[in-house]
Amino acid sequence: MKPNLLGLSRDKMKALFFELGEKPFRAQQVMQWIHQRGVLDLNDMTDISKVLRGKLEQLVEIKAPNVVADYPSEDGSHKWVIEVASGSRVEMVFIPEGSRGTLCVSSQAGCSLDCGFCATGKQGWNSNLTVAEIAGQVWLARAQIDGFNGAAQRRISNVVMMGMGEPLMNFEPVMDAVSLMMDDWAYGLSKRKVTISTSGVVPAIRRMKEYTDASLAVSLHAPNDELRSRIMPINKKYPIADLIDAVKEYMASLKDKRVPVIEYTVIKGVNDHRQHARELAELLRTLPCKINLIPFNPFSLSDYRRPSDSVIRNFRVILQRAGFTVTVRTTRADDIGAACGQLVGDVEDLTRRQERYARRAEAMQNEVPEYYGQSGIERAQILASTGKAATSADDTLVLGS
C-alpha cells in the first residue's frame, strides 16, 4: 500500500524526501500544498519539478477520506459521515461559536470500551483510523467550512479528539495526527487549542509527554471507584488514583501553565446527587483543573435520562464554592444526533456488542414495555415489581444503593 502524504508528519515527510535524495525543504513545500492550500494532485504543485512529481506518483498517494453524508443542524453545527478504509463509517462534527468554532474528530471506527453513557461504545469496535483518516477530518472540514483561501478568516479554531473512539488506544496515529494539527507547515493550531480526551488509559497518558504537548481532557464522570467502574468498565483496570497520578505527571511535563479539563456527564439518578458533587470536590482537591459538566444526551440504546436544570445548577454551585472553575456544556447539534455522546456512525462490529445490546433491548421491551424511558430509580422499581433481575450496570447500581 502506498503511503498517504495527507497523513505524514513533518519528520516522516522529511525522511521520505531524504530517501529520494531530495533536500528537506521539499517536505515543507509538499505539506503546505496539501494542508494550507488544499491541493491533493501532485501535478498542481507547480514549484515541484516534473521529475520529482513523477517519482512521487509512483511511490505515494494523496487521498482524503470520502464524505458519504452531511447533516447541517439548526444551531449552525454540522456533522459529516466519512467512510474509512475498513469500510466502516465514522462521524465528525463542527460546532461554531461566533466567528470561530470547534471541530470534534474521531480516532476509531467504534470503540472497544463500553461506557454506559456513550452511543459509540454500543456500536462495538471495528478498526483504528490511520493518520490520514484522522488529520484528514481537519482537511475536509477546512475545505467545507473555510476553503483554502489564505486571506479568509479560519473558523476552525479548536480541535478536540472527542469523536468516536478512545484516542489513546490508537496511540501512534493520534500522536502523529495531533502533531500535524499543530505544525506550522500544516494547520498551525496552538497547543492550547488541540485537546486529547481520554477515558483514562493510564499507561498511554504516561507516554504522552514523549510525543506531544497538546491539552488534555479526562472523562471522569464519577467521584469514586465503585460508581465509575459500573458506568466505565475501564476503571476496573485503571482506577481513579492511578489516573489522577498520570494526569498530574503529564501536566507537570508541560512548559506552560495549563490545567486539564475534567469531563463529568451528569446522569439522572446515577451520579447527580449533591453528595457526588461534594465527593468530586474532595477527590480533585489536589489536582488543579477545570470541570466541565455535561448534561446527559439521550440515545436509543440507553435508558439513562438527563437531569433537570436545577439539579445541574446545584451540582455546579457546590463545586464552585469548593473553589473550582466550572462550566456546563451547552447541548448542541442534538437534532442531527451529534451532541456529546451521541456519535455512532456505521460500524462493522468485530465484538458483537451491537448484537447483544439490540437483543437485550428487544427482550426488555417485549417483557416489560414500560421499562424504557424511566429513570434509574423508576426502572429499579419496575424490575422489583415484576420480579426480574437488573439487566444493566445502572440497574444494579440503583438496586444496590
Side-chain angles (χ1 to χ4, degrees):
M1 181 182 296
K2 293 181 178 181
N4 189 342
L5 296 190
L6 186 63
L8 291 194
S9 65
R10 180 189 293 214
D11 287 344
K12 291 178 179 176
M13 189 75 81
K14 283 183 175 180
L16 170 68
F17 283 102
F18 178 79
E19 291 174 6
L20 293 175
E22 295 287 337
K23 300 291 186 182
F25 76 87
R26 294 297 186 194
Q28 179 177 359
Q29 286 179 312
V30 172
M31 286 181 68
Q32 289 176 329
W33 274 112
I34 295 170
H35 302 291
Q36 296 181 359
R37 301 178 189 174
V39 173
L40 300 183
D41 188 339
L42 287 165
N43 291 319
D44 292 334
M45 300 181 184
T46 53
D47 57 0
I48 306 295
S49 72
K50 188 173 182 180
V51 173
L52 179 53
R53 283 181 297 188
K55 287 182 184 178
L56 291 172
E57 284 180 343
Q58 298 299 313
L59 297 172
V60 302
E61 65 179 5
I62 312 176
K63 185 178 181 183
N66 181 38
V67 176
V68 295
D70 64 275
Y71 302 94
S73 168
E74 291 181 356
D75 66 17
S77 302
H78 209 110
K79 177 173 77 174
W80 295 272
V81 181
I82 61 172
E83 187 171 42
V84 295
S86 65
S88 290
R89 296 179 176 185
V90 303
E91 300 180 346
M92 50 184 272
V93 183
F94 176 71
I95 303 166
E97 192 66 46
S99 62
R100 298 297 182 94
T102 297
L103 183 67
C104 183
V105 170
S106 293
S107 59
Q108 295 180 304
C111 185
S112 59
L113 308 179
D114 189 13
C115 300
F117 48 83
C118 179
T120 302
K122 309 306 179 206
Q123 299 295 299
W125 181 87
N126 176 271
S127 60
N128 288 326
L129 271 58
T130 65
V131 183
E133 289 167 342
I134 299 169
Q137 293 172 61
V138 183
W139 188 95
L140 283 171
R142 185 169 177 190
Q144 296 279 337
I145 296 167
D146 292 333
F148 288 93
N149 180 351
Q153 182 180 18
R154 292 194 306 178
R155 293 182 62 203
I156 302 172
S157 57
N158 298 65
V159 174
V160 292
M161 299 297 306
M162 297 181 185
M164 296 173 63
E166 163 54 59
L168 296 188
M169 295 188 77
N170 185 17
F171 189 85
E172 281 82 6
V174 166
M175 293 300 114
D176 275 358
V178 165
S179 173
L180 275 171
M181 295 172 197
M182 299 190 296
D183 197 311
D184 288 338
W185 293 359
Y187 302 99
L189 292 168
S190 162
K191 58 193 174 186
R192 291 177 173 270
K193 301 294 187 180
V194 177
T195 301
I196 299 171
S197 176
T198 178
S199 60
V201 187
V202 168
I205 296 173
R206 296 193 189 281
R207 290 178 64 197
M208 280 178 59
K209 62 181 180 292
E210 301 169 17
Y211 293 82
T212 188
D213 58 355
S215 296
L216 180 65
V218 179
S219 294
L220 188 63
H221 309 299
N224 59 66
D225 282 321
E226 180 183 5
L227 176 53
R228 192 168 191 265
S229 293
R230 288 174 174 173
I231 63 177
M232 297 183 70
I234 192 173
N235 194 73
K236 297 172 184 176
K237 188 169 185 180
Y238 305 119
I240 292 174
D242 293 346
L243 172 58
I244 290 179
D245 283 347
V247 171
K248 288 180 178 178
E249 182 181 316
Y250 176 71
M251 301 311 298
S253 74
L254 302 180
K255 295 178 181 179
D256 57 343
K257 291 184 178 180
R258 267 181 287 165
V259 297
V261 174
I262 301 299
E263 298 169 310
Y264 192 101
T265 298
V266 191
I267 308 167
K268 182 178 180 179
V270 176
N271 66 351
D272 64 340
H273 303 304
R274 292 172 185 264
Q275 181 57 31
H276 291 138
R278 288 188 283 268
E279 272 190 86
L280 183 62
E282 178 60 25
L283 173 69
L284 300 176
R285 181 172 50 85
T286 62
L287 177 67
C289 62
K290 297 178 182 178
I291 301 172
N292 185 211
L293 300 180
I294 308 168
F296 173 72
N297 293 303
F299 57 92
S300 62
L301 288 178
S302 174
D303 20 9
Y304 285 148
R305 295 177 68 186
R306 177 191 177 108
S308 67
D309 289 344
S310 62
V311 167
I312 295 171
R313 185 166 54 250
N314 290 336
F315 202 99
R316 179 183 188 176
V317 167
I318 290 170
L319 294 171
Q320 288 176 325
R321 287 176 177 170
F324 292 94
T325 298
V326 186
T327 58
V328 177
R329 187 174 299 179
T330 302
T331 298
R332 302 284 299 274
D334 55 335
D335 59 322
I336 54 173
C340 183
Q342 291 184 329
L343 299 186
V344 292
D346 183 7
V347 177
E348 294 294 329
D349 181 21
L350 300 182
T351 67
R352 303 191 71 181
R353 190 183 300 154
Q354 283 187 45
E355 182 182 333
R356 292 196 299 273
Y357 273 110
R359 283 202 308 266
R360 193 188 79 182
E362 183 179 0
M364 185 56 69
Q365 183 66 35
N366 290 336
E367 294 183 29
V368 190
E370 66 274 26
Y371 174 84
Y372 284 93
Q374 308 302 320
S375 70
I377 293 173
E378 291 165 336
R379 291 197 307 273
Q381 293 170 342
I382 291 170
L383 292 173
S385 68
T386 60
K388 295 186 180 296
T391 60
S392 64
D394 52 296
D395 296 334
T396 305
L397 170 65
V398 174
L399 288 168
S401 60

